[in-house]
Amino acid sequence: HDLGRALLASVQAGQAAEAAFALAEAVGHYERALELWQQAPQAAASSPLDRGALLQHAAQAASLAGEGPRAVALIAQALAETDAAADPLRAGALLERLARYQWFAGDTFAAMTTVEQAVATIPAKPPSAERARALAAHGQMLMLWSRNGVAQARCEEAVAVARQIGARAVEGHGLNSLRSEEHTSELQSHHD
C-alpha cells in the first residue's frame, strides 16, 4: 500500500520493459505510474521521468506495440498539459509525434492538420531539431498524398535545417523522402 514505492517501481518496470522491447508491458507499467502520479507527489518528484516524459514514453511504446488509438490518447494528454506559448519547441515536438501516431492509426486527415500545426508552432529561428523533424514529417506525409512539389520543398527545408544543427538522423529522413519522391516522379514520367 506504499503508493510512492509503487509509482517508482512502475516507472522502473516500464523502463526495463521498454529496453527489453516488451512494449505492451511497458505501456501497462507507465500507465500504472500515471494513475499514481497525483496520489504520491513526493515519489513523483523523485521519478527518473517527469510526467511529460512518462506520457511520451508510454505513447511511443503503445505506438510501437501497434496500439495506435492508445498512443494518440497518451500523446494528446501530454500536449494538453503543455503550455505552447511558454514552450513552443516542446509543444511542436508533441504535435509532430501526435501527427505520426494519428497517421499510423489511420487518421490521415487529422495527421496532416496536426503536422501543419507542429510546423507553425515551432519557431524557424533559431534552427532546431524539433523544427527539422516536423518539416521532415510534413514533407513525408505530403509525398504520401502525392503532393510532390510541396513535399519536395518541405523535405529540402528539413534537410537544410538538419544540416545547420548537425541532426544527421533527421537529415537522413528528409533525404530518404526526397529520393522516394524523385523515384515516384520517374515512374510517373515513364508511365506517361
Side-chain angles (χ1 to χ4, degrees):
H1 298 289
D2 185 335
L3 298 181
R5 285 180 62 198
L7 185 154
L8 293 175
S10 294
V11 172
Q12 291 165 349
Q15 289 177 307
E18 191 176 2
F21 299 101
L23 300 168
E25 290 81 0
V27 176
H29 291 302
Y30 288 142
E31 287 183 329
R32 176 71 179 137
L34 288 163
E35 289 169 10
L36 296 170
W37 199 263
Q38 300 300 329
Q39 301 169 47
Q42 285 185 316
S46 65
S47 170
L49 298 175
D50 66 20
R51 184 173 168 81
L54 193 56
L55 284 162
Q56 285 182 264
H57 277 265
Q60 181 173 333
S63 178
L64 292 171
E67 299 183 38
R70 202 167 176 185
V72 167
L74 287 161
I75 208 72
Q77 189 174 346
L79 185 59
E81 295 175 12
T82 300
D83 182 349
D87 197 349
L89 285 180
R90 179 171 168 71
L94 290 170
L95 284 163
E96 184 269 336
R97 288 288 98 188
L98 176 59
R100 285 192 177 280
Y101 300 154
Q102 288 170 326
W103 187 276
F104 296 152
D107 194 351
T108 56
F109 289 101
M112 187 63 79
T113 300
T114 303
V115 79
E116 288 168 354
Q117 188 180 354
V119 171
T121 299
I122 302 169
K125 302 282 184 197
S128 65
E130 291 85 354
R131 182 156 179 89
R133 270 192 295 278
L135 291 166
H138 190 208
Q140 182 182 36
M141 289 181 194
L142 287 165
M143 183 207 53
L144 293 169
W145 267 14
S146 298
R147 295 189 50 208
N148 296 345
V150 185
Q152 182 173 348
R154 270 298 189 227
C155 290
E156 287 171 353
E157 189 178 355
V159 169
V161 172
R163 284 181 176 159
Q164 285 178 353
I165 59 170
R168 302 280 295 161
V170 182
E171 179 185 350
H173 178 204
L175 288 170
N176 186 46
S177 293
L178 279 171
R179 290 199 176 93
S180 295
E181 187 273 328
E182 289 168 5
H183 181 68
T184 301
S185 295
E186 286 174 19
L187 289 174
Q188 287 173 345
S189 67
H190 285 311
H191 249 287
D192 298 341

